[in-house]
Amino acid sequence: MVKACREFGFFKVTNHGIPIDIMAKLEEEAVKFFSLPQVEKEKSGPSNPFGYGNKRIGPNGDVGWVEYLLFAVTSKSFSYTAMPFLQEPSASSFRSALNEYMSAVRKLASEVLELMAEGLKIEPRNVFSKLVMDEKSDEIFRLNHYPPCPLFQGLNYSLTGFGEHTDPQIISVLRSNNTQGLEIALRDGSWVSVPSDQESFFINIGDSLQVMTNGRFKSVRHRVLANGSKSRVSMIYFGGPPQTERIAPLPQLMGEGEQSLYREFTWEEYKKAAYKSRLADYRLGQFEK
Ligand code: GA4
């Protein structure tokens, strides 16, 4: 795992013990929502920064062939303020699917983070996991729908579903249906397509974990290409620390005389900077020493 985090900032988790039913149920609810008439969906939008979004990504002009629901999670529970339909009694199955999925995936993220600490031989075992498990942790949840784009079917050209970027948080856990599209960048800048696997989870190292490991782990640049004929549905959990948390290399990881590659900042500051940036920007650049 440590090798994968150093080389790719990315890996796949199999045999995780989370019943496929939990993923299938949430996927079904997501598909139901994205199949609603556009006017209905728009009632929960535009996303700024939470709610229903269509083609526009973030506040600075990025676009993609994607529609999505972005949820804020505060004190471990979903906030539906931007999404009136989810407050209706009729949405109770959607809400329970979200809650069930979220608790399973948060636990998985925490276990994976503990294995990372173990792999790095640092104590305590929960140095990373305690940040996302904290009552005040800053968690985001995202449902993405990449509709098929028939115009591009059979053509040797691909449409960007979600443009290249790294995730600002500590860790992201992604699950998608059986439609391909996710690509990750290798260290030499080449792009590799990740075969879809609806029973597994994919882990992205985020910028904050890169900083906490003083660059040992790399946040992974990734993107999604839209498919000509099949729709892709993905669900992503983003685990961030509490707003006031200082993001800095862990002292127990630093070698003798090793200096931090980054100047000090809090998660709140980093997020603020992220929301001022374009999707593809190298956001850690302005925090490097
Ligand atoms: C990338 C990771 C998460 O999807 C996200 C994204 C957020 C958004 O879609 O609103 C951002 C993007 C993400 C990074 C830079 C900013 C913010 C769009 C954008 C241009 C929810 C997040 O936390 O950062």
Side-chain angles (χ1 to χ4, degrees):
M1 191 187 280
V2 167
K3 196 165 174 241
C5 294
R6 286 180 189 263
E7 268 183 50
F8 307 108
F10 183 85
F11 59 93
K12 166 165 141 174
V13 182
T14 58
N15 297 323
H16 43 70
I18 298 178
I20 179 107
D21 179 55
I22 291 186
M23 321 178 195
K25 254 203 263 171
L26 183 55
E27 181 183 330
E28 192 187 314
E29 294 294 339
V31 167
K32 251 199 292 185
F33 172 79
F34 291 120
S35 314
L36 290 174
Q38 195 58 31
V39 281
E40 286 305 313
K41 294 188 280 190
E42 304 274 349
K43 286 180 185 162
S44 295
S47 168
N48 65 344
F50 300 110
Y52 172 74
N54 188 359
K55 298 189 188 74
R56 293 169 203 278
I57 298 169
N60 304 312
D62 291 287
V63 289
W65 189 255
V66 65
E67 58 176 342
Y68 58 85
L69 279 172
L70 254 174
F71 302 87
V73 185
T74 6
S75 307
K76 309 284 163 220
S77 56
F78 282 87
S79 156
Y80 298 127
T81 40
M83 294 169 233
F85 79 96
L86 269 164
Q87 297 166 29
E88 304 291 331
S90 57
S92 71
S93 57
F94 201 161
R95 288 193 299 267
S96 61
L98 279 167
N99 287 323
E100 211 180 358
Y101 183 87
M102 186 69 168
S103 349
V105 157
R106 176 187 292 125
K107 193 161 153 264
L108 176 73
S110 155
E111 282 169 6
V112 163
L113 287 168
E114 293 188 2
L115 289 172
M116 286 177 189
E118 195 182 303
L120 285 168
K121 302 189 175 62
I122 48 171
E123 302 257 14
R125 194 179 149 79
N126 70 347
V127 260
F128 301 127
S129 66
K130 68 171 189 222
L131 299 176
V132 302
M133 295 309 272
D134 193 289
E135 183 62 21
K136 292 207 170 80
S137 72
D138 185 12
E139 299 171 303
I140 294 183
F141 191 70
R142 168 163 221 145
L143 292 172
N144 286 328
H145 174 225
Y146 301 92
C149 185
L151 260 176
F152 285 78
Q153 200 174 345
L155 295 179
N156 196 12
Y157 185 85
S158 45
L159 184 64
T160 301
F162 208 110
E164 61 173 286
H165 66 284
T166 60
D167 296 340
Q169 290 81 2
I170 294 175
I171 191 172
S172 319
V173 184
L174 174 143
R175 185 267 175 186
S176 80
N177 68 350
N178 253 343
T179 303
Q180 214 120 314
L182 177 64
E183 297 192 336
I184 61 165
L186 303 187
R187 299 283 281 279
D188 66 5
S190 59
W191 288 97
V192 179
S193 168
V194 178
S196 62
D197 178 350
Q198 57 181 353
E199 295 185 13
S200 300
F201 292 97
F202 293 93
I203 307 288
N204 290 343
I205 300 295
D207 298 338
S208 300
L209 195 52
Q210 175 170 329
V211 173
M212 293 179 77
T213 58
N214 206 26
R216 285 171 179 74
F217 288 1
K218 293 286 183 305
S219 60
V220 61
R221 263 188 118 61
H222 57 286
R223 66 182 182 191
V224 176
L225 301 182
N227 193 292
S229 49
K230 271 184 77 200
S231 90
R232 175 180 163 94
V233 178
S234 62
M235 34 191 88
I236 309 117
Y237 162 82
F238 302 95
Q243 302 275 7
T244 52
E245 187 71 27
R246 241 178 95 235
I247 309 294
L250 294 173
Q252 57 269 57
L253 204 68
M254 302 287 268
E256 215 171 283
E258 185 177 338
Q259 297 286 313
S260 171
L261 300 171
Y262 311 92
R263 60 181 179 79
E264 262 196 51
F265 56 92
T266 62
W267 169 239
E268 192 173 20
E269 283 174 80
Y270 194 62
K271 248 180 63 160
K272 231 182 239 160
Y275 279 94
K276 283 191 190 139
S277 68
R278 295 291 300 259
L279 194 56
D281 287 351
Y282 177 59
R283 279 175 280 281
L284 277 179
Q286 54 176 303
F287 295 92
E288 279 169 358
K289 269 189 185 162

